[in-house]
Amino acid sequence: MEITEVLPIKSLEEALLWKPLSESLPVIHLKDRANYSINGRDYKCHERFLTSKRLHNQGLPKTLICHDMQGGYLNDRFVNGTKSSNEYTFYNWSVIDTFVYFSHHFITIPPIGWINAAHKHGVKVLGTLITEWTDGNTLWLQVFSNLEKRDNLVDKLVEICKYYKFDGYLFNVENELESENIENMIETVSLLRTKLKTAITHSEVIWYDSVSMETGKLIWQNQLNNHNKLAFQACDGIFLNYNWTEEDLAKSVANAGNRVIDVYVGVDVFGRNCIGGLDSYKSLEIIRKYDLSVAIFAPGWTYETLSDKNKFNVVEDTFWRKLYPFLYIHIPCTLPFTTYFCRGYGSKKIENFVLSSLDAWYDLSKLNYQPSVPLCLQDGNFPCNSYVDGEAVIGGGCLRLNGNNENTSYHRIFVCHFEIKSTLYFEITVKALKPYDSHKIFLGALDPYGMPYKMEFGIQGDNNMFFNNCDDYSCIIPDSKIYNLTLENGWLLHKLKCEMVGIIVEVAIETEEPLLIGHLFINDGSSS
């Protein structure tokens, strides 16, 4: 039986009876990332070569976003997308470690589109297990009345996770527990974590700061302490409630020991009894002073509160621009690497340069890999890049570089770590918005000894091709180079093949005029 939509599991009985409906689902496995990142504070949109500013991921504070929107399971629930427009999407994936899909149903299964969009970018996806108030208390009494039933529930949670190919759970018990069941709850969390790790080695179970593991009372702590530490020790991290003070953060650090980055401090973007909205960055600024991780709850506030959804991208970019100084930009490293820059929606659909449908569409599985920073970090009325709906090679839209900005024409698209062992295959498809526009593609690389160099190629004037027309001595002309340029439906395809042993660390373009980027492809001959 084919699954057309993903829905939550609403009861214990439904969970215990759950069985997969078909053999497989169109889910992408979690992609690898490089083992280092760049501090968003150090990232400058127009500065070349950021290799000296890379930080090893081990020990870096993490960023989790918890997607809670109007009860969940809106038009994002459809496996093959839907014909709709002005839906919520997310594209700042490079700064996210974990994505949680949240609803108030017993077991929240993340929709396929969100799993695919996140996994393409190396971001883990968690579902949610939640029980609340009196009904929640009754449910756990049922579970713990027979530990065989508890074990069956844990096994079903693992099976569901494996089948849908997501990466774990947020465990949220927002109800009181009988004191005799506190130990059972801790054992349940630990058992789920152990069984998930056996099935999915990179999986995570994160506990939400709610019911006390000392008294069984529902008392949000806003810090890591004796009321929640046993649960913290049984799982991979804790998501603290939002009403914390700096004193709470200091106590959390003291109680976490060597697991400080496993403490995710909650920030409610709706600002319920905390700093939120476009001022959410002020909360992150405080949290990062203590090197703690952060859990951003309901970042879709930027969409949900808008009466005019056409303003979403502007508000979204404003929100995340303020956060970038407190985030870490992760690095793609998996080859082959390809992207059409589509954000998973369009006012029409294009296939291989040709219009295939005039219908609006929304399908997060079609969201392609997004630029390392898909917005301009400089304030002002002239962003260095943006997204264009309706112009594409494949999909619904593409990346637009907006040309000369504050006397610089250098636009970084990716910081990356693509290891080339024999032969570099590189393609980029662009469209000039003015006749005879000149543009230069820039590939930053490291040789086998770690020394930086670059390759530059492009066109000047009336399609006059050039390769390594450098004004310094940092360019290297590779052996056995084949570089050509073709034109199709107004798009220019730059295609390069050359011998190379080293690492591509940066992809950028210099252009003084607006330029559309419709496709990027990188691969190594040893893996083709």
Side-chain angles (χ1 to χ4, degrees):
M1 178 178 177
E2 183 182 1
I3 294 177
T4 59
E5 58 183 332
V6 175
L7 295 171
I9 293 173
K10 298 181 180 181
S11 68
L12 176 61
E13 292 73 20
E14 186 182 350
L16 294 175
L17 292 172
W18 180 88
K19 291 181 180 179
L21 296 177
S22 62
E23 291 186 3
S24 62
L25 290 171
V27 180
I28 295 169
H29 290 281
L30 182 69
K31 299 292 186 183
D32 289 333
R33 286 169 155 177
N35 62 2
Y36 54 82
S37 302
I38 293 174
N39 192 322
R41 190 183 299 278
D42 294 331
Y43 189 96
K44 303 295 186 290
C45 292
H46 307 292
E47 178 183 329
R48 300 169 186 248
F49 269 130
L50 295 174
T51 53
S52 63
K53 297 176 181 177
R54 300 187 176 205
L55 305 170
H56 199 279
N57 287 337
Q58 188 173 1
L60 286 182
K62 293 172 283 188
T63 301
L64 175 154
I65 57 173
C66 189
H67 178 59
D68 174 33
M69 181 174 288
Q70 298 174 345
Y73 300 101
L74 306 174
N75 280 333
D76 56 359
R77 72 185 188 273
F78 296 104
V79 173
N80 297 310
T82 183
K83 291 182 179 180
S84 61
S85 59
N86 287 332
E87 301 286 349
Y88 176 71
T89 188
F90 182 79
Y91 45 89
N92 286 284
W93 291 106
S94 69
V95 292
I96 306 303
D97 296 277
T98 304
F99 174 91
V100 178
Y101 196 82
F102 183 89
S103 80
H104 288 276
H105 301 292
F106 177 42
I107 299 173
T108 299
I109 301 171
I112 300 302
W114 284 112
I115 299 173
N116 284 335
H119 278 184
K120 286 175 189 176
H121 292 83
V123 174
K124 295 180 183 181
V125 178
L126 307 187
T128 304
L129 183 148
I130 187 171
T131 58
E132 297 177 282
W133 315 116
T134 303
D135 288 344
N137 177 267
T138 301
L139 184 146
W140 290 113
L141 284 173
Q142 288 181 265
V143 171
F144 296 139
S145 67
N146 181 339
L147 290 185
E148 184 179 349
K149 181 179 288 188
R150 186 275 308 272
D151 293 347
N152 288 339
L153 173 61
V154 169
D155 289 341
K156 289 296 184 182
L157 288 169
V158 174
E159 288 178 34
I160 292 165
C161 202
K162 286 174 60 180
Y163 175 68
Y164 285 96
K165 296 184 178 66
F166 59 100
D167 311 296
Y169 292 93
L170 173 67
F171 211 107
N172 187 355
V173 181
E174 296 203 65
N175 54 261
E176 295 193 350
L177 291 173
E178 275 64 25
S179 57
E180 61 267 23
N181 282 331
I182 292 174
E183 185 175 347
N184 286 330
M185 180 60 72
I186 295 168
E187 288 179 355
T188 301
V189 173
S190 179
L191 182 63
L192 175 61
R193 179 179 184 268
T194 299
K195 289 197 171 188
L196 272 174
K197 293 285 187 189
T198 301
I200 307 167
T201 56
H202 64 264
S203 64
E204 293 182 349
V205 176
I206 295 177
W207 177 262
Y208 181 68
D209 164 30
S210 48
V211 64
S212 168
M213 291 293 99
E214 279 200 331
T215 67
K217 300 298 182 184
L218 183 58
I219 308 173
W220 296 269
Q221 298 299 309
N222 303 294
Q223 62 175 253
L224 178 63
N225 60 25
N226 289 336
H227 285 280
N228 49 36
K229 195 169 183 179
L230 288 175
F232 175 66
Q233 292 169 342
C235 65
D236 298 287
I238 186 169
F239 182 150
L240 294 183
N241 193 46
Y242 318 103
N243 307 136
W244 44 266
T245 65
E246 281 206 58
E247 182 180 0
D248 290 322
L249 301 188
K251 289 179 178 178
S252 297
V253 170
N255 288 322
N258 62 0
R259 293 186 61 197
V260 172
I261 64 169
D262 295 332
V263 178
Y264 295 81
V265 183
V267 175
D268 181 2
V269 181
F270 275 83
R272 288 163 283 210
N273 300 315
C274 64
I275 301 173
L278 295 179
D279 288 330
S280 295
Y281 74 96
K282 296 177 181 177
S283 294
L284 268 74
E285 185 175 19
I286 298 169
I287 293 165
R288 293 307 201 211
K289 282 168 53 179
Y290 295 87
D291 290 327
L292 290 159
S293 294
V294 63
I296 302 172
F297 185 77
W301 171 91
T302 55
Y303 172 91
E304 194 171 343
T305 57
L306 286 177
S307 56
D308 182 0
K309 304 303 186 190
N310 291 316
K311 296 180 180 178
F312 165 65
N313 285 337
V314 173
V315 178
E316 178 81 348
D317 288 355
T318 301
F319 177 83
W320 284 96
R321 183 182 300 114
K322 293 172 179 284
L323 297 188
Y324 263 88
F326 313 107
L327 304 175
Y328 295 90
I329 301 166
H330 295 284
I331 312 294
C333 67
T334 303
L335 291 174
F337 179 85
T338 188
T339 179
Y340 295 91
F341 300 99
C342 179
R343 288 184 178 176
Y345 67 89
S347 57
K348 53 189 175 183
K349 186 174 286 186
I350 296 166
E351 297 290 341
N352 295 319
F353 305 100
V354 178
L355 179 66
S356 63
S357 173
L358 286 171
D359 293 329
W361 61 276
Y362 174 65
D363 185 353
L364 291 173
S365 288
K366 299 293 193 297
L367 187 146
N368 286 184
Y369 208 102
Q370 296 299 300
S372 293
V373 178
L375 52 87
C376 190
L377 295 182
Q378 297 178 345
D379 289 319
N381 298 319
F382 191 85
C384 48
N385 63 56
S386 57
Y387 182 74
V388 177
D389 181 15
E391 285 271 15
V393 174
I394 291 178
C398 68
L399 177 67
R400 172 182 163 128
L401 307 181
N402 289 325
N404 195 340
N405 184 22
E406 297 190 0
N407 299 317
T408 179
S409 56
Y410 183 85
H411 300 266
R412 182 182 306 101
I413 303 173
F414 288 109
V415 283
C416 49
H417 185 99
F418 296 132
E419 186 175 359
I420 309 299
K421 298 178 180 178
S422 62
T423 307
L424 169 66
Y425 292 88
F426 178 89
E427 298 177 12
I428 190 166
T429 305
V430 305
K431 178 185 280 190
L433 298 182
K434 291 188 176 182
Y436 311 121
D437 172 46
S438 299
H439 57 270
K440 179 189 297 183
I441 292 96
F442 171 96
L443 294 181
L446 300 177
D447 70 13
Y449 304 99
M451 296 299 293
Y453 68 95
K454 62 185 176 181
M455 289 180 274
E456 296 181 355
F457 50 94
I459 60 171
Q460 290 178 323
D462 189 10
N463 291 353
N464 295 313
M465 297 168 55
F466 69 87
F467 191 95
N468 280 2
N469 185 20
C470 296
D471 54 6
D472 56 35
Y473 297 99
S474 62
C475 276
I476 291 180
I477 298 178
D479 295 330
S480 304
K481 169 182 67 68
I482 301 175
Y483 170 51
N484 56 53
L485 190 67
T486 57
L487 179 66
E488 185 166 355
N489 285 44
W491 292 86
L492 290 168
L493 170 59
H494 297 266
K495 199 169 185 177
L496 171 67
K497 175 184 176 182
C498 64
E499 292 182 11
M500 178 182 171
V501 178
I503 301 168
I504 301 294
V505 295
E506 190 160 316
V507 180
I509 289 185
E510 285 188 344
T511 178
E512 293 188 355
E513 299 295 339
L515 190 71
L516 302 184
I517 316 297
H519 181 225
L520 176 67
F521 173 80
I522 303 174
N523 201 13
D524 172 37
S526 65
S527 62
S528 62

